[in-house]
Amino acid sequence: MANAPTTGEFTRADVCAIALAECFRNDGEILANPIGTLPMVGGRLARATFEPDLMMTDSEALLITNDQAYSWGDAKVIETYNPYRTMFDVVYSGRRHVIMGASQIDRFGNQNIAAIGRDYAHPKRQLIGFRGAPGNTVYNKTSYWIPNHSTQVFVDQVDVVTGVGWDRAIAAGPSVTDFYNLHRVVTNLAVLDWETPDHRMRLRSVHPGTTVEQVVALTGFELVVPDNVPQSRTPTPDELTILRRVIDPQDRRQREIANNS
Amino acid sequence: MTEGEVVARLESGMTIGIGGWGSRRKPMSIIREIIRSPLTDLTIVSYAGPDLGLLCAAGKVRRAVYAFASLDSIALEPHFRLARQMGLVEDEPYDEGMLMLGLQAAAWHVPFLPTRVGLGSDLLRLNSRLQMVQSPYDDGQEFVAAPALTLDAVICHLNRADAGGNATFLGPDLYFDDLFLRAADVNRFISVDKVVPTADLVTEAGNEQRLRISRLMVDGVVERPGGAHFTDNAPEHGRDEAFQAMYAGSAKSPEAFARFRDEWLDVSEDEYQQKVAAR
């Protein structure tokens, strides 16, 4: 195995898994609900290392303790039954942190997954629909995973607001802000947040191999860029071992993003 | 009953609720029968998958009341997508949980249920049915009034039932089939893979906690093994991914859908099931 990676080597997808795991730091005993392969791997890593009290799904109707991100067979260790009906109870309790995708997102974190085009009655591209985004964003903690950081996704104005951004949340008042907590965006290039006085999106860190200029150029609105943007945290040898041997032994996380090097 | 007898009870212009979720446990044999019928101008309420897509492709849908349309393993429902982009269907969007509240309101015979869901989003701009309501209590806060989604008819697919309509699901999730069946006062129909004697229901279900559909909620039962094909219907059968991919491919052109329709829809359900078995 002369060409096998040594313990210290990692890929962009591994850095993304760490950044996604970090979204859940200090969440405590909540339902961590990352949607998609890499977010699920990141969530499993958070629970296996620094957030042991998280509850997580089998991507269907069970909450299970298994560290593996998929393919449990008969080995599932079931904590509870969590059909869709119960999932909405969890959402409305506020004890959940979801990581969703976004076809478009703006500087305040307004998300669009419903339709592209300004005429909703006659969209250029129909997408999946509002799904659970309006309820997720006003009831529980929400982060986003964007595997293709680009000006097509990071836009000045989204065509349809499915997930609620900071500006609209504040304008709507306490009925929204009581439970509102829009947290972070993790992309294939960087980590972003809204930790600014007016809740405009800020560049929190750039992944190794990415520059601030690259991220700015691929974002379709003006980002808040601090004077010193740190590099995203890189995986420790122990984290790489857990990722490779336990959580994602089929390396599915490596297939989710372009330019994974 | 037969699928034909169910469809004979439906009328053009009705609001029809469809159970299941995405491409999972959908009453596809009844959907196929609707497509062969003269029914038109339907409003479909659904956690939607190929049920909504097929009905759109066949020109049966006036209005879609939905939170998403997905084939699960294929993220976007291609026929629904086409219908939307061509401006062929009216669109009444909901959030998933808000749709649940609308069905619950209908089931409880109240005009709405208050919720935070929708606040700040474009649902309030794009769904003209949604209104706000102010709490009459000391907090005085404003909420969305999720409107009762009262149905004229409901169709669901379950795994087992007795002849009276007491039924059970054997898969991972009932989804919202019980709420759909309670959101109409009449015309509530289920198809099942197998009708069994009442005395066998608990054994078939595995335990009495799975007996979630009673004959108070059901007006007719169709026995149709494989009736949910090609959607997932665990543990009877998984999703027929190859068939679903072929179905999705039929959105590529009117000619492609005409071929799909000729081969898989303009045939009797018995013939459909025989052809599926022979694939």
Side-chain angles (χ1 to χ4, degrees):
Chain A
M1 298 263 291
N3 293 322
T6 61
T7 313
E9 291 177 4
F10 52 84
T11 64
R12 178 63 58 80
D14 295 332
V15 174
C16 292
I18 298 298
L20 289 157
E22 285 291 339
C23 289
F24 294 110
R25 191 178 283 276
N26 298 323
D27 274 354
E29 192 170 53
I30 57 144
L31 174 52
N33 203 172
I35 298 166
T37 303
L38 241 168
M40 184 62 99
V41 167
R44 286 298 205 275
L45 181 64
R47 184 169 63 175
T49 54
F50 56 82
E51 276 310 309
D53 289 343
L54 298 175
M55 297 189 86
M56 296 192 71
T57 75
D58 69 343
S59 299
E60 205 147 4
L62 300 173
L63 301 188
I64 61 175
T65 65
N66 305 63
D67 286 332
Q68 298 95 315
Y70 46 79
S71 301
W72 309 276
D74 294 330
K76 283 184 194 176
V77 179
I78 300 165
E79 292 198 83
T80 193
Y81 181 49
N82 190 68
Y84 281 109
R85 184 82 55 97
T86 305
M87 186 63 101
F88 294 134
D89 290 335
V90 176
V91 174
Y92 301 163
S93 79
R95 295 178 189 274
R96 178 173 178 259
H97 183 171
V98 67
I99 300 183
M100 292 191 282
S103 299
Q104 295 178 323
I105 191 166
D106 73 13
R107 71 196 68 200
F108 293 111
N110 294 293
Q111 167 232 36
N112 176 18
I113 52 171
I116 300 292
R118 284 302 156 91
D119 180 5
Y120 184 74
H122 205 142
K124 272 191 221 150
R125 282 195 293 136
Q126 169 73 24
L127 305 175
I128 199 160
F130 277 74
R131 196 97 223 201
N136 287 341
T137 45
V138 305
Y139 271 107
N140 64 215
K141 195 171 179 181
T142 300
S143 295
Y144 290 105
W145 161 239
I146 313 283
N148 54 332
H149 196 129
S150 66
T151 51
Q152 281 77 52
V153 178
F154 287 83
V155 294
D156 186 53
Q157 206 180 341
V158 301
D159 293 332
V160 179
V161 176
T162 51
V164 180
W166 278 103
D167 56 336
R168 282 170 163 251
I170 290 165
S175 296
V176 172
T177 54
D178 283 353
F179 293 93
Y180 187 79
N181 189 357
L182 195 57
H183 187 55
R184 280 186 199 165
V185 184
V186 176
T187 81
N188 56 322
L189 302 180
V191 181
L192 308 106
D193 63 28
W194 290 273
E195 293 177 23
T196 55
D198 55 358
H199 299 291
R200 284 189 301 142
M201 195 186 287
R202 176 184 80 145
L203 183 54
R204 182 183 182 86
S205 68
V206 291
H207 300 339
T210 305
T211 65
V212 170
E213 291 69 32
Q214 254 181 303
V215 175
V216 166
L218 290 171
T219 303
F221 52 81
E222 196 184 334
L223 273 176
V224 177
V225 182
D227 290 340
N228 293 301
V229 178
Q231 203 169 76
S232 306
R233 183 165 86 72
T234 55
T236 66
D238 282 352
E239 286 172 329
L240 283 174
T241 301
I242 296 169
L243 282 172
R244 290 169 183 162
R245 293 198 187 154
V246 180
I247 294 173
D248 182 21
Q250 295 177 23
D251 279 339
R252 292 189 190 178
R253 69 190 178 286
Q254 310 295 358
R255 299 197 285 268
E256 199 165 323
I257 58 176
N259 305 316
N260 183 31
S261 58
Chain B
M1 294 180 85
T2 63
E3 288 92 352
E5 286 166 339
V6 169
V7 171
R9 300 271 290 273
L10 307 179
E11 293 170 23
S12 292
M14 273 186 168
T15 295
I16 300 178
I18 304 176
W21 178 279
S23 188
R24 306 179 209 178
R25 208 161 41 67
K26 288 287 179 179
M28 298 303 286
S29 70
I30 299 175
I31 301 287
R32 289 185 280 267
E33 190 70 29
I34 292 174
I35 286 169
R36 288 187 289 271
S37 79
L39 288 172
T40 186
D41 208 28
L42 302 175
T43 291
I44 300 298
V45 182
S46 179
Y47 290 101
D51 50 341
L52 179 61
L54 265 178
L55 291 168
C56 283
K60 299 297 188 188
V61 181
R62 179 174 65 81
R63 190 172 183 85
V65 178
Y66 74 110
F68 62 83
S70 175
L71 300 178
D72 295 322
S73 51
I74 298 171
L76 304 180
E77 214 306 327
H79 287 285
F80 175 67
R81 204 173 184 205
L82 204 57
R84 279 279 286 138
Q85 290 168 188
M86 292 171 73
L88 298 177
V89 288
E90 297 171 16
D91 187 285
E92 187 176 321
Y94 287 87
D95 164 279
E96 292 165 0
M98 187 192 269
L99 192 74
M100 171 186 76
L101 294 172
L103 294 169
Q104 183 69 79
W108 285 344
H109 297 104
V110 292
F112 68 89
L113 285 171
T115 180
R116 296 172 197 264
V117 177
L119 294 170
S121 82
D122 270 346
L123 278 177
L124 293 162
R125 176 171 71 88
L126 297 173
N127 182 336
S128 59
R129 248 168 104 179
L130 296 179
Q131 302 291 332
M132 299 291 288
V133 63
Q134 188 180 9
S135 168
Y137 297 104
D138 288 345
D139 61 275
Q141 275 181 252
E142 297 256 319
F143 295 96
V144 175
L149 295 171
T150 303
L151 306 171
D152 297 318
V154 187
I155 52 175
C156 294
H157 185 85
L158 281 302
N159 298 91
R160 300 283 181 275
D162 67 13
N166 299 301
T168 188
F169 70 111
L170 300 179
D173 199 329
L174 181 61
Y175 310 118
F176 296 90
D177 288 13
D178 55 337
L179 276 188
F180 275 99
L181 289 163
R182 288 189 165 113
D185 292 324
V186 292
N187 297 319
R188 304 156 306 170
F189 303 107
I190 62 173
S191 54
V192 295
D193 291 275
K194 193 177 175 191
V195 172
V196 300
T198 305
D200 293 349
L201 267 178
V202 173
T203 310
E204 290 281 338
N207 59 52
E208 63 268 32
Q209 285 79 16
R210 275 187 179 269
L211 302 181
R212 297 278 300 280
I213 306 294
S214 87
R215 59 192 165 87
L216 296 176
M217 305 149 70
V218 174
D219 297 304
V221 179
V222 176
E223 183 176 40
R224 175 63 68 183
H229 182 271
F230 50 91
T231 66
D232 179 81
N233 184 24
E236 316 270 357
H237 56 80
R239 187 178 301 113
D240 187 339
E241 297 288 359
F243 193 101
Q244 175 162 288
M246 177 183 68
Y247 159 76
S250 75
K252 286 200 175 75
S253 67
E255 296 73 29
F257 184 69
R259 282 195 298 277
F260 180 85
R261 181 174 178 135
D262 184 59
E263 188 168 1
W264 297 104
L265 301 174
D266 289 335
V267 298
S268 72
E269 185 63 24
D270 286 343
E271 201 180 331
Y272 176 94
Q273 295 291 347
Q274 285 161 15
K275 288 174 75 167
V276 167
R279 262 165 66 85

